[in-house]
Amino acid sequence: MAVHVLPMSTALIPGYRQCVDVVARERRYLAQVEALPIEKVEEFLLPHLRDDASIFVAVDAERVIGWADIMPNWPYAKKHCGVLGMGVLPEYRGAGLGGRLLEACIAKAWSKGLSRIELEVRSDNAPAIRLYQRFGFREECRKRQALRYDGAYYDSLQMCLLRNEV
């Protein structure tokens, strides 16, 4: 069956939550180590869906297998910025799905008026860093010991994409 990249909808929230949970429990790619309860996920997503934020999911049959979102900042001086978050289930990685999600997400973020997209990635996550660089993201700084999993520290990279440099 074909994998489709779709805008997020309320019907997809439970599948999105399950997908986030699987990726979070890997204790490597996300700052969280498990998904929030469904009520908290809905509380977070519903206002963004009402505002037509840049949130996309990848679906195989009816299963959510990946997501990408660019959440806009709310303070006045940072409203031109959004923060990227994304993940793909382990068995679907390496097949170009991250690129498809990013492409859709970035295009919508630009259409919504954003001009800067920021992200934080663990410095040893070479596949993700290569993907972000392929889309034009540039490293801005390294944050030493920015993440900690089970007592082990990891550096992270702050990266950004500027619309006027694309």
Side-chain angles (χ1 to χ4, degrees):
M1 182 144 293
V3 172
H4 300 282
V5 172
L6 308 169
M8 174 61 106
S9 69
T10 56
L12 295 168
I13 291 175
Y16 164 90
R17 186 215 172 266
Q18 179 60 35
C19 186
V20 169
D21 193 59
V22 170
V23 175
R25 288 179 187 276
E26 291 180 88
R27 303 173 90 85
R28 178 171 169 76
Y29 303 107
L30 304 179
Q32 64 199 70
V33 295
E34 64 182 305
L36 294 170
I38 189 70
E39 303 80 25
K40 293 288 186 188
V41 173
E42 289 171 343
E43 184 180 308
F44 172 74
L45 283 177
L46 290 176
H48 291 294
L49 290 175
R50 280 192 293 274
D51 291 343
D52 193 33
S54 183
I55 310 171
F56 288 84
V57 292
V59 178
D60 185 359
E62 294 183 24
R63 180 182 183 206
V64 175
I65 59 168
W67 80 92
D69 54 55
I70 299 172
M71 300 304 186
N73 283 306
W74 63 269
Y76 175 81
K78 294 190 78 172
K79 285 188 177 189
H80 66 288
C81 303
V83 179
L84 172 68
M86 66 181 299
V88 174
L89 292 179
E91 62 269 29
Y92 289 90
R93 292 180 190 145
L97 187 54
R100 290 175 58 196
L101 284 161
L102 261 182
E103 185 174 18
C105 220
I106 291 169
K108 181 156 187 183
W110 293 160
S111 78
K112 298 291 289 180
L114 295 182
S115 60
R116 176 184 169 90
I117 301 169
E118 305 168 342
L119 66 86
E120 182 173 8
V121 60
R122 217 167 97 169
S123 64
D124 62 348
N125 188 349
I129 293 166
R130 281 192 302 274
L131 173 66
Y132 301 140
Q133 289 172 334
R134 198 172 81 233
F135 275 81
F137 283 85
R138 294 185 185 172
E139 181 179 336
E140 291 191 307
C141 72
R142 174 181 294 264
K143 293 173 65 177
R144 297 180 310 142
Q145 295 186 7
L147 304 165
R148 186 178 73 182
Y149 301 90
D150 304 317
Y153 291 95
Y154 299 89
D155 292 355
S156 71
L157 302 179
Q158 298 287 307
M159 301 179 79
C160 86
L161 177 66
L162 300 177
R163 184 173 186 183
N164 64 0
E165 291 184 354
V166 176

